[in-house]
Amino acid sequence: MEQLWKSEIDQLAAEFLGQDYRIATYGQTLVTTYHDALNPKYAEQKKDSSIGRKYFAQIVRKVGNKEVNLLTLEFNGIEKRLYVTIDLSFYQVHELVKSDRLNAMLDELDPKIGTFTRTGSFTRNEIERAVLGQALIEMIKPRIRPWIYIGMMLPLEGEFEVSSIIDYLKQTWEQTAAFRQYSLEYSEQSAKAAHIMDLLASVEEAFTATLFGRFYQIQYGVTGNEKSGEREQEFSLKRDGQTIVQGCLLYREYEVRSGSSRPMLAVDVEGHNHTYTNVEALLGEGLKEWRLFKSFRTTNQDNEELKQEAIELLSQHDFEVEQNGYRIGTYNNAARRFEEDVREIKGKLVCAALLFAHVAGRGKFKFLETDATNDSSIVNGDHIDDDSKEIIEYNCTFNFPVIYEAVQNSSLTFAKDLIRDLHLNLTALDDKHFVILSGISGTGKTQLAKLYANAVYGLSYEADNPYLSIIPVRPDWTDGTALFGYYSSFENRYMMTEFLRIILHAHEEREKPHFIVLDEMNLARVEYYLSDYLSGVESHKEVPLHNRNDLDGIPSKINIPPNVYLIGTINVDETTHSISDKVLDRAFVMTLSDVDLETFWSRMDEGIRTGLQSEFTYLKRLHGLLAPNHLHFGYRTMSEMMKKLSSHLVLDAEYQTSRIAMLDQVISEKVLPKLKGDDRIAELLKDLKDLFAEHLGQESISCSHIIRMEKELLRYGATQFWR
């Protein structure tokens, strides 16, 4: 089949594309996977799998850094169908829908040319041409983004003549010419826009900014790899080494939440978009001025006045402004570069976003000194509005592939099995959603809870989620008032709690899931303070709050709605309480003790990985010795150790100690303090002593601690790091 493809189709592709194309086949991969399936070790478990049941080959053309599929021949043994199609992304076709071009292009096709969407790795769903556009529009809110296929589908039965297959290929190639031309033009435009964002992303050198008469440093992180059409680059605003505020630049090939196919550049400050612009505005002929525009769509405020106030602030900081717009720079399309220093361009983008964040306020971020004219609260209303006064629509989905993709696109390290387990534990029951995350400290239990909740709403890990509340548990919680509040006769008012606020809000928006995280929930006795909640969920009866008739906004009783999802995190040590069977029977309990250091290491900044590879290798070896005794450390500990080691290396040479001495110190400060046990750790202590003596030296701090602990273990039968 591959020889057929090569000999017959090369000529067809060359006729239309010249030499700028490539024939891609699935043949070698198919041979490899089929060979694996014949391995006696795997044959039994793979005999009913889909291995070997699909073959495809494609004509692809490279545009920019990406390849565009122009024609695909697929033999699908699962569906028993043969497909000859052109492949288009959801965003490409959605752009045709928005520009009212799709139906006209479809009407030009022969009736035997169909339209399909991918529903799985081996399955496709045919959609009538007349309803394809509407079907794509309906996919926006649930964030379903399938590939669209336009071409021929035939039953995979009997034998096919070579000439017949070639004829199908030629017919589809000719019929889909308009879509192929559009796909190439779209890809070329996207590649040009991506180049502009590459210019900005390549800047990692710190930028000095003067804001409100003070000097600040804007420091950029490493630009992450592209995931689902988006790259992220963090930045921080610093003064005298102190971090003032953090944010990130988002380089988006398309906008997932809205379904827009336009390449967008966003500048976030503390999880809120303060600049959002389509970089395609810079494309065209010759020089293009880059002007951005600020708009506000707040309620109960004069939006025009807010806009003018923001523009005035930009003018005070030497931005070139006119009406509601401000100039960033000039792009030279012929030379494919900015006329100004790209470092200045990027610095201006970030500074503008920081000034907007200062004006927006929200009680979180303000520069130290402000002008009297800047005291009012301004809310950013560019593409995504941030203020709680805004009318913002948060779309949610419990579609696991969508959630998993969002989790994978984060910088955190969690296995697919773990994410799937949490998802099923939270969603398997219709009315009870209670999960307990246990494990050693620093494995990311709270991070996982937040990451999942934000993924449900299509938000990044760093973004604020109004449907998520993380509540630290206090040791003095002894009854249900800690969660549900109480009426204070002394203050003549009801003492509202964050937990009750979420429950009340969940009643107001029953279609939206509300997540509550009880952090370190076993610092107090869980069965004491959580009993009212558990009883309310189990019995579907109302929880009594008060018996007064003069309270507005607080009902006398409240039930637990089914759109409340409760996640508790626990650590097990001498400061915590055990959890009773009453609680355990009503929860799924997950343990997060496995630590994937290799994946964690691969996601750290390249600078750290390059400079501290030997230290990481040694710490990973130490982790391996501790893990069998359940005394190993988590991601938090590893991250903090690596950051200290990295900070040490940037000190002037005269203030540095040796790298081995610094490694010795972080081990004694972050790893050994949790070391304790009885005779069962005798072998571990011996191995640790040998490890430390070999690399750190017998006189090292860590080695001396282990020698002391060995002596205590021999004398008392038990030992611990603390004397």
Side-chain angles (χ1 to χ4, degrees), residues 39 48 77 80 106 123 155 170 247 360 370 404 429 468 480 518 633 693:
N39 188 323
D48 296 323
K80 293 182 169 41
L106 291 174
T123 56
K170 290 182 177 180
T370 64
Y404 178 66
L429 305 179
L468 165 67
L518 295 179
F633 47 89

Side-chain angles (χ1 to χ4, degrees), residues 61 63 68 70 86 88 92 95-96 101 105 177-193 262 280 283:
R61 179 174 180 176
V63 179
V68 182
L70 301 176
I86 181 174
L88 299 169
Q92 288 175 306
E95 187 69 19
L96 291 175
R101 298 165 57 192
M105 293 174 68
F179 286 97
R180 183 169 60 255
Q181 183 63 31
Y182 163 73
S183 179
L184 289 171
E185 292 173 355
Y186 177 99
S187 300
E188 289 168 359
Q189 189 82 344
S190 297
K192 292 177 182 178
R262 299 299 89 195
E280 281 192 347
L283 302 181

Side-chain angles (χ1 to χ4, degrees), residues 207-212 216-220 235-238 244-248 267-270 272-275 294 310 313-314 317 319 326 346-361 365-367 380:
F207 180 78
T208 301
T210 304
L211 300 169
F212 294 96
Y216 294 89
Q217 286 285 315
I218 299 174
Q219 296 186 356
Y220 303 105
F235 69 83
S236 58
L237 181 71
K238 295 190 175 184
I244 309 299
V245 67
Q246 293 180 305
C248 65
V267 185
D268 278 15
V269 179
E270 291 193 333
H272 304 292
N273 286 140
H274 289 282
T275 299
K294 193 67 180 172
L313 183 60
L314 290 177
H317 285 82
F319 279 80
Y326 57 100
K346 189 170 185 175
K348 279 189 172 183
L349 285 168
V350 174
C351 285
L354 289 167
L355 292 172
F356 291 141
H358 165 81
V359 173
F365 169 61
K366 284 278 188 181
F367 282 100
N380 176 49

Side-chain angles (χ1 to χ4, degrees), residues 500-512 514 542 555 557-564:
L500 179 58
R501 185 191 68 79
I502 292 292
I503 300 297
L504 291 171
H505 195 261
H507 274 283
E508 295 174 2
E509 297 192 46
R510 295 293 293 265
E511 296 182 1
K512 299 291 179 66
H514 289 63
E542 294 179 315
K557 297 179 181 179
I558 191 170
N559 62 3
I560 309 300
N563 57 331
V564 173

Side-chain angles (χ1 to χ4, degrees), residues 339-531:
E339 292 292 281
E340 301 84 1
D341 189 333
V342 69
R343 293 173 297 181
E344 293 288 333
I345 297 290
K346 189 170 185 175
K348 279 189 172 183
L349 285 168
V350 174
C351 285
L354 289 167
L355 292 172
F356 291 141
H358 165 81
V359 173
R362 292 176 56 83
K364 290 188 176 181
F365 169 61
K366 284 278 188 181
F367 282 100
L368 182 60
E369 288 188 4
T370 64
D371 189 278
T373 60
N374 293 327
D375 289 337
S376 61
S377 176
I378 296 179
V379 182
N380 176 49
D382 274 339
H383 185 78
I384 299 176
D385 296 319
D386 305 320
D387 195 87
S388 59
K389 297 180 181 179
E390 297 275 359
I391 299 175
I392 305 175
E393 181 179 5
Y394 287 86
N395 297 320
C396 55
T397 179
F398 278 112
N399 184 316
F400 180 71
V402 173
I403 293 172
Y404 178 66
E405 182 179 359
V407 172
Q408 287 297 98
N409 289 341
S410 75
S411 60
L412 304 176
T413 305
F414 293 108
K416 180 192 292 186
D417 291 347
L418 181 64
I419 303 302
R420 181 185 60 238
D421 201 30
L422 175 61
H423 173 73
L424 295 176
N425 289 342
L426 282 172
T427 61
L429 305 179
D430 292 333
D431 54 354
K432 292 193 296 184
H433 316 289
F434 182 23
V435 174
I436 296 176
L437 303 178
S438 67
I440 65 171
S441 177
T443 50
K445 298 183 288 294
T446 306
Q447 288 180 325
L448 173 61
K450 179 181 178 182
L451 184 61
Y452 180 87
N454 280 14
V456 168
Y457 281 95
L459 301 172
S460 66
Y461 171 77
E462 298 81 7
D464 283 341
N465 185 346
Y467 299 96
L468 165 67
S469 183
I470 301 176
I471 303 174
V473 172
R474 292 171 52 91
D476 59 355
W477 287 8
T478 58
D479 56 36
T481 61
L483 297 181
F484 291 97
Y486 62 94
Y487 180 79
S488 171
S489 299
F490 180 75
E491 298 190 31
N492 292 323
R493 67 184 181 91
Y494 196 89
M495 308 303 290
M496 175 66 76
T497 64
E498 176 69 9
F499 188 91
L500 179 58
R501 185 191 68 79
I502 292 292
I503 300 297
L504 291 171
H505 195 261
H507 274 283
E508 295 174 2
E509 297 192 46
R510 295 293 293 265
E511 296 182 1
K512 299 291 179 66
H514 289 63
F515 295 90
I516 301 175
V517 179
L518 295 179
D519 201 19
E520 298 193 64
M521 67 182 303
N522 60 333
L523 282 177
R525 291 196 176 276
V526 181
E527 59 273 16
Y528 289 177
Y529 69 83
L530 200 61
S531 59

